[in-house]
Structure formats: structure tokens, C-alpha cells
Amino acid sequence: HVQLVESGGGSVQAGGSLRLSCAVSGTDYSNYCMGWFRQAPGKERERVAVVYTGTIFYAASVKGRFTISRNAAKNMMTLQMNSLQPEDTATYYCAAGDFCHSSPSPYSAWGQGTQVTVS
């Protein structure tokens, strides 16, 4: 049973940076697709970035600004967010699934979410 706990959200001015972390427990997550989704008020949950067996995908809106990484030794996944813009404001969720997909539905484990606010 995979458990995910996010941390690192907060408020920042446009152009600033934040680093989100996702602590993974309960399983060897090296065989899972791991990723970050976000959901803004009134909008659908959207995929931000995922990593799976060395392959990384970024949404077009964050490519070049965000970097996803995973540290198997520490059971940790991070999302470094640079050049943040007001449109990045959302609740960010860590997710794990058997395979990567743009839809949140196939992901079987979710963190509680962490708020990112850019003004």
C-alpha cells in the first residue's frame, strides 16, 4: 500500500521558486509511474510532470521551468519550480500509478495536496 505525503508548498511572488517534496512509503516505488498533478479552483486536475523508468514528461505549460526528480535511496520525489507565474497557482498533488497517463484516473495513490500560491 503506497502512501504519499507532500510538503514544500507556500506563497511566492511571480518569478520566484518553490520546491515540492513527496515522501513515499509502503512499497518499493521504483516500478511505479510517479508524478505531480495540480488543480486550480474550478478547473480539472491536470498532469504537470511524471517520471517512469527514466522517462520524464512535462506539461507544455511548465516545460523549461519545472524539474521533476526522484531519489530511490531516500524514497523521495521532488518538483523544483522556477519562474513561477500566477497561473501556476493551484493545489499540487503527488501521485503514483502502475503506468503513466495524462488523466488522473489510472493513478492509484495520491497525497493530500499542498497549496502553491503565486501573486
Side-chain angles (χ1 to χ4, degrees), residues 10-80:
S11 297
V12 65
Q13 292 187 338
S17 299
L18 284 173
R19 185 179 179 90
L20 305 183
S21 295
C22 176
V24 185
S25 63
T27 190
D28 175 9
Y29 76 112
S30 61
N31 294 322
Y32 284 82
C33 175
M34 299 291 300
W36 294 92
F37 282 73
R38 67 185 181 186
Q39 189 167 19
K43 295 187 177 181
E44 294 185 352
R45 191 168 295 191
E46 64 172 352
R47 184 176 61 175
V48 175
V50 294
V51 55
Y52 184 48
T53 61
T55 299
I56 294 176
F57 168 86
Y58 293 102
S61 59
V62 307
K63 197 169 186 179
R65 300 188 298 122
F66 291 12
T67 302
I68 188 172
S69 62
R70 58 196 295 177
N71 186 326
K74 295 184 178 181
N75 281 349
M76 187 75 69
M77 181 177 66
T78 60
L79 184 69
Q80 177 66 41

